[in-house]
Amino acid sequence: MTKKLFITGIGTDVGKTIASAIVVEALKADYFKPVQAGDLEYSDTDKVKELVSNSLSKFHPNSYALKKPMSPHAAAQIDGVAIEPDAIKFPIIDNHLVVEGAGGLLVPLNNEDTILDIIEPGCHVIVVSRHYLGSINHTLMTLWILQEQGHKVSVIFNGKEHKTTEDVIKNMTGVSVIGRIDDEPYFDKRVVQEYAELFKDKLESL
């Protein structure tokens, strides 16, 4: 049975794209980034493609590719376009699909809709959490919102271990933990492959 996995974060720059590459590699899944804001010459899709070794994964075009590295609603205004959630269609494929969001869960797409509104029913949501002052609050809010909306949720921790932080998140939400991505000096195909092997069993069991 094919899986749809939606990867979001507790904020921006927490490691969603590296996590997406690892999940894509582990499942030999396809990858889709609905909204790219900024970095169009070297997008998140380009980064994931560069980190994935298998030849089965396909990389689908963005629904919206915006020029400015800003919140999507603001970047879209500058480009003179309106983001319509109904225009964002997940690819219909026979393979697993990894969908990467933009920023955090409640990043606005327009004056009414957020990233949360484009998560299709049936998606298993993976939240990437990175420790910083305030990250417990951001992580719990993200997880609780997703659970209240009826989504199945797991967590990937990114960065140095903070046991007390991680324990309280697990105890207060009951979510499954797929694993940890350490603060590596660099990420290349080999490193991503190693993490893919570490995470593969848990990802396949979702």
Side-chain angles (χ1 to χ4, degrees):
M1 183 177 175
T2 58
K3 306 176 189 298
K4 286 183 186 177
L5 303 174
F6 193 101
I7 297 186
T8 190
I10 63 169
T12 192
D13 293 328
V14 296
K16 292 189 306 297
T17 301
I18 292 295
S20 295
I22 291 167
V23 176
V24 166
E25 180 67 10
L27 298 175
K28 297 181 172 59
D30 284 16
Y31 173 86
F32 174 50
K33 174 99 175 184
V35 181
Q36 175 75 39
D39 298 325
L40 297 185
E41 69 285 347
Y42 185 47
S43 68
D44 289 342
T45 303
D46 295 325
K47 294 169 189 170
V48 173
K49 189 184 298 186
E50 193 173 84
L51 291 168
V52 166
S53 301
N54 81 83
S55 58
L56 297 178
S57 295
K58 293 183 174 60
F59 301 87
H60 300 273
N62 311 118
S63 299
Y64 292 91
L66 308 168
K67 295 173 185 174
K68 295 290 185 181
M70 302 170 67
S71 175
H73 79 291
Q77 273 190 336
I78 291 170
D79 284 0
V81 300
I83 297 177
E84 300 289 346
D86 289 345
I88 296 173
K89 306 290 186 186
F90 289 9
I92 299 172
I93 55 175
D94 293 327
N95 193 15
H96 304 305
L97 179 66
V98 172
V99 181
E100 182 183 350
L105 189 65
L106 297 184
V107 163
L109 299 173
N110 52 43
N111 289 332
E112 296 179 354
D113 303 297
T114 69
I115 291 294
L116 178 62
D117 294 301
I118 64 170
I119 302 177
E120 291 188 353
C123 280
H124 190 110
V125 184
I126 297 175
V127 174
V128 181
S129 177
R130 186 175 183 90
H131 178 79
Y132 53 79
L133 187 63
S135 65
I136 296 174
N137 178 51
H138 296 159
T139 304
L140 290 177
M141 286 195 298
T142 300
L143 295 171
W144 282 340
I145 289 168
L146 287 164
Q147 289 173 327
E148 286 172 359
Q149 294 296 313
H151 293 291
K152 294 179 180 177
V153 194
S154 298
V155 171
I156 290 176
F157 289 112
N158 185 27
K160 184 179 177 182
E161 181 180 18
H162 286 265
K163 190 173 187 306
T164 55
T165 293
E166 293 165 21
D167 284 348
V168 76
I169 290 167
K170 288 183 281 189
N171 291 337
M172 293 184 76
T173 64
V175 298
S176 63
V177 178
I178 292 166
R180 163 187 317 290
I181 304 168
D182 290 321
D183 280 332
E184 302 287 350
Y186 60 87
F187 285 93
D188 60 10
K189 288 184 178 182
R190 180 187 60 81
V191 176
V192 166
Q193 272 187 315
E194 289 174 358
Y195 278 103
E197 285 301 314
L198 284 174
F199 293 0
K200 186 175 180 181
D201 288 347
K202 286 192 176 178
L203 289 167
E204 288 181 340
S205 69
L206 295 179

